[in-house]
Amino acid sequence: MPHSHCNHANHDHGHGSPEEIGIQYNLFEKIDKENLQCLNESVDGSGQTVFKPWDKRLDHSQYVESDADEELLFNVPFTGNVKLKGIIIMSEDSNSHPAKLRLFKNKPNMTFDDVSMEPDQEFELQKDIEGVLEYIPKIVTFSSVSHLTMHFSANFGAETTKIYYIGLKGEWTQGHKHGVTICTYEARPMIDDHKLKHLDSVNRPIE
């Protein structure tokens, strides 16, 4: 029963052929890979490898597997602001496929101590070995995302969780917060300096 429901939801949200869908899954290019974190990965740095082009999703040589238990936690910073529109989670046809995904918006550097808080959205995942099932985030909630935390809290019963591919679809815009802060900070002393010099030059002839 849940299987047919998920397929129905996928048909509602699918846009054209799998190839056309895949072209839209290009947000991996907008991830700040140097600061991406994956907690509980069995091999250091393996969590980064699952954010790859859609046409490389079937490359099973690069994957992440959990270490101490079935949980995985990704802290995914973007290089700008993202309107998140779709997620694909792909693994193998086994019990190590993740079964639950919890999303947190704009909460950098989360750890497993923080995941007890209420997520912004939660998905019950289905086994997807081809990377074609889309999960649609709530548009209002995920319209301005600079940092996405993905907590895979459970799988289908295995001791560890494996993920081969995570696809993210959406619109990216350059972040403005940092630039505005620098601009405001630099502009104020410049204006003050100008006023002081101006007053000083006016006063001199009067004296």
Side-chain angles (χ1 to χ4, degrees), residues 40-123:
N40 198 37
E41 57 186 1
S42 59
V43 177
D44 286 347
S46 58
Q48 292 187 13
T49 67
V50 301
F51 295 91
K52 52 192 172 186
W54 189 81
D55 58 6
K56 297 278 198 303
R57 73 196 186 286
L58 300 176
D59 177 8
H60 290 184
S61 66
Q62 292 187 317
Y63 63 91
V64 63
E65 184 171 6
S66 62
D67 188 16
D69 54 29
E70 77 278 13
E71 292 186 71
L72 282 167
L73 182 66
F74 291 87
N75 285 308
V76 185
F78 295 104
T79 57
N81 289 315
V82 166
K83 183 183 288 186
L84 191 62
K85 294 185 171 183
I87 299 170
I88 291 176
I89 307 296
M90 188 194 131
S91 183
E92 59 191 22
D93 188 12
S94 74
N95 288 338
S96 64
H97 193 297
K100 278 191 178 179
L101 169 59
R102 305 167 75 241
L103 298 179
F104 299 87
K105 169 191 163 185
N106 298 343
K107 293 183 173 62
N109 303 312
M110 282 185 68
T111 68
F112 287 109
D113 293 333
D114 305 316
V115 295
S116 57
M117 71 174 75
E118 190 72 22
D120 291 296
Q121 192 166 1
E122 186 168 357
F123 291 102

Side-chain angles (χ1 to χ4, degrees), residues 91-98 127-129 155-158 160-162 164:
S91 183
E92 59 191 22
D93 188 12
S94 74
N95 288 338
S96 64
H97 193 297
K127 291 180 182 178
D128 182 6
I129 61 172
N155 59 25
F156 285 91
T160 60
T161 296
K162 271 188 187 178
Y164 289 118

